[in-house]
Amino acid sequence: MNAINKILPPLKIGNLIAEVPIIQGGMGVKVSMAGLASAVANEGGVGVIASVGLGYSKSTRYNVDIGEKALRYEIRKARSLTNGIIGVNVMYAISDYERFVKAAIDENVDLIISGAGMPVDLPRYLNGKNVKLLPIVSSIRAFKLICEFWNHNYKRLPDGVIVEGSKAGGHLGFSYKEIIENKAQSLEQIVTDIITIADTYTPRIPVIAAGGVFDGADIAKYLNMGASGVQMATRFICTNECDVHENFKKALLDAKENDITIIKSPVGMPGRVVKNEFVKRMQKGETVPFNCTYHCIKTCNYKTVPYCIAKAMVNAAEGNFDEGFAFAGANAHRCNEIIPVKTLIKSLVDETLLYL
Ligand SMILES: Cc1cc2nc3c(=O)[nH]c(=O)nc-3n(C[C@H](O)[C@H](O)[C@H](O)COP(=O)(O)O)c2cc1C
């Protein structure tokens, strides 16, 4: 096949057009900040700043004002570095959800991506602003519910939908049992089902596949199935521009396939991580007593959980892997070099064209 002179179909989300149909997935607690997001946007993709944990630090007691200030700072910084498309990821499960959504809208980000729960009230905060809203779902049921709810209560539909499968990194939208017993529906199946529903709306809702998408063959597979784009996170960790500590990137580079494991996260969801001594200790039932300073997740019962996930994430972001770990997708072991975002996106585009 000849890739010369061919270009990828751009990702269109309303009036937003990303020349490269790749959204860089939001990665919380200081993994995807302005540096990574702007670099991706500059290459024609969609750069996403993850809002959770931007204001966390060991030296200052956290409150939502600090978090909001940090989020506004990152959005403005990203805007100063690119004219491309910048989004913000706000997990529905976090206590600061409403403040962060309002701040992102006030800062006129191009889009908000929200999962880790059902962001049923997301359109409520728009105030007439043209910010695109993309929920993350892991089932056709969740997609239908959000469409019905938004349509009924706000007379609008999602501007796009991220369909996240069980091979994603971070917290997963499946039960621990489904993941461990390999019973979760495949991403291919969920994407196919959701496209059939998304295509019935006018205009059709763009479907974006996420979770384990690693190379051009994967991207082409979903585009050929009718998806409008993909969301990729893990691959962007191993770039020069990724904002996280070098030790985090190294954890992925050093990982072998059987180092990628599933934990029962203290916040009640399964999570995919790179196994290390800390993870092994927690899996054996060890606990790390703590005073909750972040109150990050609405449902976390911090008096009974074995350790603080936010603290573990802050440690990891700062390179301390004795008391932290890296979230990563199922294909993290395939990352074998740290490269510029430009190089990564160019190679992904070239590979994809070979399979389209
Ligand atoms: C380190 C890390 C942190 C993440 N943090 C978030 C987050 O804050 N919010 C969210 O919705 N998803 C989060 N995710 C999920 C990604 O945005 C993305 O959808 C998923 O990882 C895609 O799969 P991939 O990593 O295999 O490409 C995270 C993933 C990783 C690897």
Side-chain angles (χ1 to χ4, degrees):
M1 262 167 286
N2 185 358
I4 296 165
N5 295 332
K6 272 172 70 179
I7 56 160
L8 289 183
L11 169 60
K12 293 185 188 157
I13 303 171
N15 62 330
L16 296 176
I17 300 180
E19 279 164 45
V20 174
I22 298 176
I23 299 180
Q24 160 257 307
M27 291 179 278
V29 194
K30 306 186 191 185
V31 181
S32 71
M33 299 162 62
L36 177 60
S38 61
V40 174
N42 277 331
E43 296 312 313
V46 176
V48 178
I49 297 165
S51 59
V52 67
L54 288 173
Y56 295 173
S57 91
K58 284 199 209 124
S59 50
T60 324
R61 197 174 169 84
Y62 179 76
N63 64 49
V64 64
D65 294 332
I66 293 175
E68 181 182 327
K69 199 170 158 200
L71 175 59
R72 287 182 186 270
Y73 174 84
E74 290 302 319
I75 296 169
R76 289 175 197 180
K77 186 173 166 192
R79 288 292 196 207
S80 74
L81 296 170
T82 184
N83 293 320
I85 304 174
I86 292 294
V88 166
N89 176 294
V90 190
M91 293 195 290
Y92 185 70
I94 61 171
S95 314
D96 299 337
Y97 165 79
E98 184 175 334
R99 281 281 295 274
F100 288 177
V101 168
K102 284 182 176 166
I105 290 170
D106 188 51
E107 294 289 334
N108 294 310
V109 293
D110 296 302
L111 49 92
I112 293 181
I113 294 177
S114 184
M118 298 264 275
V120 280
D121 61 350
L122 197 51
R124 193 174 129 208
Y125 306 104
L126 274 179
N127 275 332
K129 292 255 185 119
N130 184 20
V131 175
K132 307 291 185 290
L133 304 178
L134 291 85
I136 304 176
V137 300
S138 295
S139 70
I140 192 160
R141 185 174 158 269
F143 177 58
K144 279 182 179 166
L145 269 172
I146 289 174
C147 289
E148 279 162 24
F149 204 88
W150 285 17
N151 202 15
H152 184 260
N153 289 296
Y154 308 105
K155 302 277 168 281
R156 64 166 290 147
L157 289 162
D159 297 290
V161 60
I162 316 275
V163 183
E164 195 183 79
S166 61
K167 291 187 177 168
H171 288 115
L172 304 169
F174 300 85
S175 70
Y176 181 78
K177 197 165 180 282
E178 277 176 310
I179 304 273
I180 290 294
E181 294 177 2
N182 223 351
K183 288 194 175 139
Q185 226 185 353
S186 71
L187 179 60
E188 290 85 345
Q189 189 57 56
I190 313 172
V191 166
T192 307
D193 292 349
I194 289 186
I195 287 174
T196 56
I197 307 284
D199 280 354
T200 62
Y201 291 105
T202 312
R204 65 180 286 276
I205 300 173
V207 175
I208 293 117
V213 178
F214 193 82
D215 57 20
D218 297 331
I219 298 172
K221 175 174 69 182
Y222 292 108
L223 295 182
N224 286 332
M225 281 167 54
S228 300
V230 294
Q231 172 167 288
M232 300 171 67
T234 298
R235 275 222 79 178
F236 285 105
I237 296 173
C238 291
T239 60
N240 299 109
E241 292 89 343
C242 180
D243 302 275
V244 80
H245 196 280
E246 296 305 309
N247 290 355
F248 199 116
K249 303 179 188 182
K250 195 170 175 300
L252 269 68
L253 293 184
D254 292 346
K256 307 271 177 304
E257 190 167 4
N258 57 8
D259 293 327
I260 317 296
T261 191
I262 300 292
I263 58 161
K264 282 184 183 167
S265 160
V267 301
M269 293 174 240
R272 181 171 279 106
V273 306
V274 180
K275 200 190 290 178
N276 63 6
E277 289 308 315
F278 180 82
V279 170
K280 285 185 202 162
R281 287 194 342 249
M282 296 308 112
Q283 283 178 327
K284 277 188 198 144
E286 216 177 280
T287 60
V288 184
F290 66 101
N291 289 323
C292 177
T293 48
Y294 300 121
H295 300 283
C296 57
I297 305 282
K298 290 172 198 160
T299 53
C300 178
N301 186 349
Y302 56 87
K303 290 190 178 135
T304 58
V305 296
Y307 63 95
C308 172
I309 187 89
K311 281 196 174 134
M313 299 288 88
V314 172
N315 288 332
E318 291 176 358
N320 171 4
F321 279 78
D322 293 333
E323 294 162 287
F325 51 79
F327 272 135
N331 282 320
H333 61 281
R334 292 169 63 190
C335 294
N336 53 23
E337 55 179 345
I338 295 175
I339 53 178
V341 164
K342 194 182 189 65
T343 311
L344 174 59
I345 292 200
K346 186 176 181 323
S347 73
L348 290 171
V349 168
D350 290 347
E351 281 167 25
T352 307
L353 286 170
L354 295 175
Y355 295 92
L356 279 188

